[in-house]
Amino acid sequence: MTEPEHVLVPVDDSEPARDALEFAVTNFADATLTLLHVINPIRTLDAGNPNLWDESHVDSERERAEGLLEAVAADVPDDVDVTTVAEFGDPAETVVEYASRNGVDHVVIGSHGRSGVKRLVLGSVAEAVSRQSPIPVSIVR
């Protein structure tokens, strides 16, 4: 297997995402790393706002995502080529679509390690990505 040239690392503000980034930096230091934060409109809906996603809400979520990406990218060593991107959508679908559209060779994603009823109820983005992705996926726990 050849070493990947472009690795996608989905990030949020969680320990599993930080662990995935550390794994990617350690194991794929010569690749370009793209840090992707997916803004899930379903999770961030303002229940009190009948307009749901007005322009100010979209702008606020994008600013929050950019701040998160900037903070996460600051932890990447200077000699690693890193880019950041924020997208709106269903997390698993967006990760797979982004990877397919942008020449990604490998996805490294953190897992919360849920099992049993929690996994059934909450689902697993990492599991969905691994099932749907046409490229290799490493799941970091």
Side-chain angles (χ1 to χ4, degrees):
M1 182 170 114
T2 62
E3 287 296 313
E5 295 178 17
H6 188 185
V7 175
L8 181 64
V9 184
V11 296
D12 57 17
D13 195 17
S14 71
E15 191 66 32
R18 287 186 285 281
D19 292 343
L21 178 57
E22 182 179 334
F23 179 90
V25 167
T26 301
N27 291 282
F28 306 113
D30 293 333
T32 296
L33 301 183
T34 296
L35 310 181
L36 171 65
H37 179 72
V38 180
I39 303 162
N40 184 351
I42 304 241
R43 280 210 159 175
T44 57
L45 287 178
D46 180 354
N49 182 355
N51 296 324
L52 301 177
W53 275 82
D54 61 16
E55 190 173 329
S56 67
H57 193 96
V58 170
D59 291 345
S60 171
E61 287 299 314
R62 186 166 299 283
E63 285 178 28
R64 188 185 66 74
E66 289 171 359
L68 171 67
L69 287 165
E70 185 177 306
V72 172
D75 291 337
V76 176
D78 291 337
D79 62 339
V80 175
D81 183 15
V82 65
T83 60
T84 62
V85 64
E87 301 248 335
F88 285 86
D90 173 85
E93 289 176 16
T94 303
V95 168
V96 173
E97 289 171 7
Y98 184 90
S100 296
R101 286 192 326 261
N102 292 281
V104 171
D105 304 304
H106 198 100
V107 176
V108 176
I109 189 168
S111 173
H112 287 79
R114 292 185 184 108
S115 62
V117 173
K118 279 189 176 181
R119 189 172 123 235
L120 289 173
V121 173
L122 299 174
S124 168
V125 173
E127 182 179 346
V129 168
S130 70
R131 278 194 320 252
Q132 298 170 18
S133 179
I135 60 172
V137 176
S138 294
I139 299 176
V140 178
R141 282 189 171 188

